[in-house]
Amino acid sequence: MRSFAGRDILSLKEFERNEFEHLFEIADRVEPIARERRNVDMLAHKTLVTAFYQPSTRTRLAHEAAMHRLGGHVTGFSDAKMTRAGDFYQESIKDTMHMLEFYGDVIVMRHFDQGAPHEAAKWASIPIINGGDGWGEHPTQILTDLYTITKEMGSVDGKSILAVGDHRMRTMHSLGYSLSQFDAEMVILAPEEMSPLPEFLAELDEKGTNYRIVDHIDEAIETTDVIYMEPVVQPDYTKARQEKQEVYARTDAKYQVTTEVMKKAKGSSIILHSLPRRDELLPEVDDSRHARYWQEAYNGVVMRMALLSSVLGVWE
Ligand code: CP
């Protein structure tokens, strides 16, 4: 297995099964710290730098919370407009990274341009973690989600995962790449204009991901083990920011999870949603035995604890 110490976490495309398993094992080891709401001194001499060029609640704060749980320090920005990268100067990623690398020991970056964290990794001498890049990938979210499936269902193997929503979305890409490493089925459901790109499906074919495409949630709901959701009403992820809309489009029933739809689901099936949500997942489902998105959000902190401690070399 490749070492995690000092490593950039940019994509799950080349992640191997034993690397997923290693992170799940580390997550299990650090989880009691989060569960008992303790802060330890594991990363007492390390600093995380957050570089967020796009809004975030979970990804940035879960990394920050993870760093605090492990006794580390945090600095950075959550609004690039208030930095030289977002004002008159439009400071380049190269110049920005040459600064940030002096301010900490690991950088988590979210950017509206696909590939921006890869560009950052060329210039920073410290590890870069991709916190979401345009429509590209969202590796730490999918590591969280596969860990959640493992904890809730014993294994990713043998599961049929219905991925419903916008398949241009970065999470869907990281999910598709990851499932090539497991004996699992990915069932793709998206509005036509949000279908996976042919180039992405070609990559899945090449990697050996077992997938099929359906047109309506009713075609898969009875056999699926995991309903993995993304909104179909969502912003353009290639933009730095989109403001609140006066009128939002409504999600078609074909892509919506409601208590009525869940009556047809397997009793053991679980619903994951990386959040935030709109009307594709109604709050009426929150109290059902299927909802696991709050557990998923908690696991988001645990997985970031595992990742940060790994790239900072604790377990070598
Ligand atoms: N799941 C996720 O990426 O959420 P945020 O946009 O709030 O970080």
Side-chain angles (χ1 to χ4, degrees):
M1 190 184 71
R2 290 174 297 172
S3 167
F4 276 94
R7 181 164 152 189
D8 301 310
I9 307 293
L10 302 174
S11 165
L12 296 183
K13 213 183 271 193
E14 309 302 338
F15 247 63
E16 291 174 3
R17 186 180 173 112
N18 59 5
E19 296 174 312
F20 287 101
E21 288 170 348
H22 176 75
L23 285 176
F24 297 167
E25 204 181 298
I26 301 296
D28 279 348
R29 271 196 235 177
V30 296
E31 191 276 335
I33 301 167
R35 182 168 14 102
E36 294 158 19
R37 296 182 176 276
R38 285 188 287 127
N39 289 1
V40 298
D41 61 3
M42 190 184 283
L43 296 180
H45 303 291
K46 301 291 182 188
T47 299
L48 166 70
V49 184
T50 55
F52 276 64
Y53 294 75
Q54 238 183 6
S56 167
T57 298
R58 283 144 284 269
T59 308
R60 184 173 65 83
L61 293 174
H63 277 91
E64 293 194 2
M67 202 63 188
H68 287 301
R69 286 282 178 235
L70 298 178
H73 307 269
V74 178
T75 186
F77 59 86
S78 56
D79 182 357
K81 268 197 188 141
M82 297 308 292
T83 73
R84 295 307 198 185
D87 79 341
F88 172 88
Y89 288 98
Q90 295 292 301
E91 193 168 23
S92 67
I93 287 178
K94 176 182 176 179
D95 288 5
T96 304
M97 291 305 135
H98 275 324
M99 296 301 105
L100 300 190
E101 67 180 346
F102 299 131
Y103 304 157
D105 306 291
V106 54
I107 297 168
V108 58
M109 179 187 202
R110 170 169 286 188
H111 204 285
F112 46 88
D113 276 343
Q114 187 166 337
H118 305 65
E119 166 75 7
K122 282 201 281 188
W123 305 114
S125 58
I126 58 176
I128 300 283
I129 296 177
N130 180 357
D133 61 320
W135 294 116
E137 278 202 64
H138 198 347
T140 68
Q141 179 66 52
I142 293 302
L143 287 168
T144 296
D145 302 338
L146 296 180
Y147 178 61
T148 303
I149 295 171
T150 304
K151 297 310 287 176
E152 296 294 324
M153 310 198 92
S155 172
V156 177
D157 290 330
K159 304 299 180 298
S160 177
I161 300 172
L162 171 62
V164 49
D166 189 339
H167 272 263
R168 300 167 304 171
M169 189 54 186
R170 48 201 182 198
T171 44
M172 297 301 194
H173 298 150
S174 293
L175 178 66
Y177 297 139
S178 301
L179 290 181
S180 69
Q181 301 299 304
F182 297 91
D183 177 20
E185 177 192 46
M186 181 177 184
V187 182
I188 295 172
L189 171 61
E192 199 179 342
E193 67 280 15
M194 297 175 191
S195 297
L197 294 175
E199 306 88 273
F200 173 65
L201 292 179
E203 280 186 296
L204 296 192
D205 287 333
E206 194 189 322
K207 292 187 71 58
T209 301
N210 174 18
Y211 72 87
R212 65 187 166 97
I213 298 175
V214 297
D215 289 326
H216 196 297
I217 197 161
D218 284 348
E219 284 178 56
I221 194 71
E222 288 172 15
T223 52
T224 196
D225 300 294
V226 179
I227 301 148
Y228 187 83
M229 303 196 70
E230 277 292 338
V232 296
V233 179
Q234 59 174 0
D236 180 349
Y237 277 84
T238 64
K239 292 196 162 74
R241 181 181 178 86
Q242 269 186 275
E243 297 305 327
K244 181 175 179 287
Q245 309 281 292
E246 281 311 312
V247 182
Y248 285 93
R250 292 197 60 79
T251 300
D252 191 299
K254 291 191 326 189
Y255 316 108
Q256 213 174 24
V257 167
T258 61
T259 44
E260 207 48 41
V261 166
M262 290 313 293
K263 282 181 189 163
K264 297 173 231 163
K266 278 188 192 179
S268 59
S269 64
I270 63 168
I271 304 166
L272 299 182
H273 194 310
S274 63
L275 303 171
R277 64 176 156 184
R278 291 214 52 83
D279 64 336
E280 71 283 356
L281 175 61
L282 298 184
E284 66 186 25
V285 184
D286 293 0
D287 294 328
S288 78
R289 66 177 181 277
H290 305 284
R292 291 294 189 286
Y293 26 97
W294 311 127
Q295 191 63 32
E296 182 185 4
Y298 166 73
N299 287 337
V301 178
V302 176
M303 178 47 68
R304 272 68 174 229
M305 290 165 74
L307 263 177
L308 289 167
S309 58
S310 294
V311 300
L312 290 170
V314 168
W315 310 103
E316 300 292 314

